[in-house]
Amino acid sequence: MREQAHGQGQTGVAVDDEQRLRKAFVDKDWNEIKIADSWQIFKVMAEFVEGFEKMSKIGPCVSIFGSARTKPDNQYYQLAEEIASKLVRHGYGVITGGGPGIMEAGNKGARAEGGKSVGLNIELPFEQTHNIYIDQDKCINFDYFFVRKVMFVKYAQAFVGMPGGFGTLDELFEAITLIQTKKIGRFPIVLVGSAYWNGLFEWITDVMLSQEHNISAEDLNLIQIVDDASEAVKIIDDFYHKYSLSPNF
């Protein structure tokens, strides 16, 4: 039965993917393409305008990333909530992706301490609805991942990466790349959960750096891995001890 159900699910996905592919290859005349692209440009602009307008007023914040699938009884959910609460007590607001799991924990911790609780929600066909702990005037919905990522980076003074999936890795490596290439100023990137992250960074060190020489040794100094909420917040505080807080672009 399991194999049959699995096969049916795979067939449904395959049919959906095939329909998407066929639609992409349907011939369109030049006028249709221009009209569709023009409207898309306006949609992208609208998301940037709304994001800049709302985010420019939030003050110093830290972005917390992590899986939408993490449950409240999970140690990392509880750790994210604790980190968010401590960040608020140290004068920061909290930005998350606005959804459930680790994102909910971050907003919940910020709300519990009366701090700014920002949610940058993405419209997805599954899994994501905004959580109840976001400030009503600080919940922003996006259709485009790339616009949303600009808001995460531009208005955050640090990143805290909790265990997560592909989306978390996407956001993490986006930030590392922008700092490495000096497109933005350096800011703290703290990864929480050595048991989760160490294997990835052992591979980065052993293969990407030592074996293939695709990065420089100093690039690894951009990230710190911790297991304790107080240590995570201290790294951010220490970094800004000598600097004033400002957007990163």
Side-chain angles (χ1 to χ4, degrees), residues 19-51:
Q19 290 173 344
R20 288 171 181 263
L21 285 168
R22 290 185 181 280
K23 185 177 180 181
F25 281 91
V26 171
D27 287 337
K28 297 177 182 177
D29 63 39
W30 182 240
N31 192 51
E32 287 179 302
I33 294 171
K34 286 197 298 180
I35 291 172
D37 288 351
S38 295
W39 278 112
Q40 192 166 35
I41 289 170
F42 285 118
K43 282 186 66 179
V44 170
M45 288 173 60
E47 289 199 0
F48 273 120
V49 169
E50 181 185 12

Side-chain angles (χ1 to χ4, degrees), residues 99-222:
I102 293 295
M103 297 174 280
E104 176 184 285
N107 290 126
K108 184 178 180 181
R111 170 70 67 84
E113 292 295 322
K116 292 177 180 177
S117 181
V118 183
L120 307 181
N121 191 50
I122 187 77
E123 299 290 342
L124 298 175
F126 58 90
E127 194 172 79
Q128 179 108 345
T129 56
H130 68 80
N131 67 70
I132 63 173
Y133 301 104
I134 304 168
D135 294 343
Q136 189 172 2
D137 63 333
K138 299 180 184 68
C139 182
I140 311 173
N141 291 306
F142 294 90
D143 281 327
Y144 299 99
F145 272 107
F146 69 90
V147 179
R148 180 177 179 244
K149 285 197 290 184
V150 169
M151 303 303 156
F152 277 128
V153 175
K154 181 175 176 62
Y155 294 103
Q157 272 59 55
F159 276 9
V160 173
M162 306 297 297
F166 292 138
T168 300
L169 293 177
D170 177 42
E171 289 147 354
L172 168 64
F173 284 109
E174 171 97 359
I176 295 171
T177 301
L178 290 171
I179 295 172
Q180 179 203 45
T181 56
K182 301 188 185 304
K183 291 296 183 179
I184 63 172
R186 181 176 176 179
F187 61 86
I189 299 175
V190 183
L191 301 181
V192 181
S194 59
Y196 191 86
W197 293 109
N198 277 348
L200 171 63
F201 281 89
E202 285 174 6
W203 175 83
I204 289 174
T205 301
D206 294 343
V207 179
M208 190 181 289
L209 173 62
S210 300
Q211 182 176 315
E212 298 296 334
H213 312 292
N214 290 331
I215 59 172
S216 302
E218 56 267 26
D219 293 335
L220 295 177
N221 296 330
L222 299 174

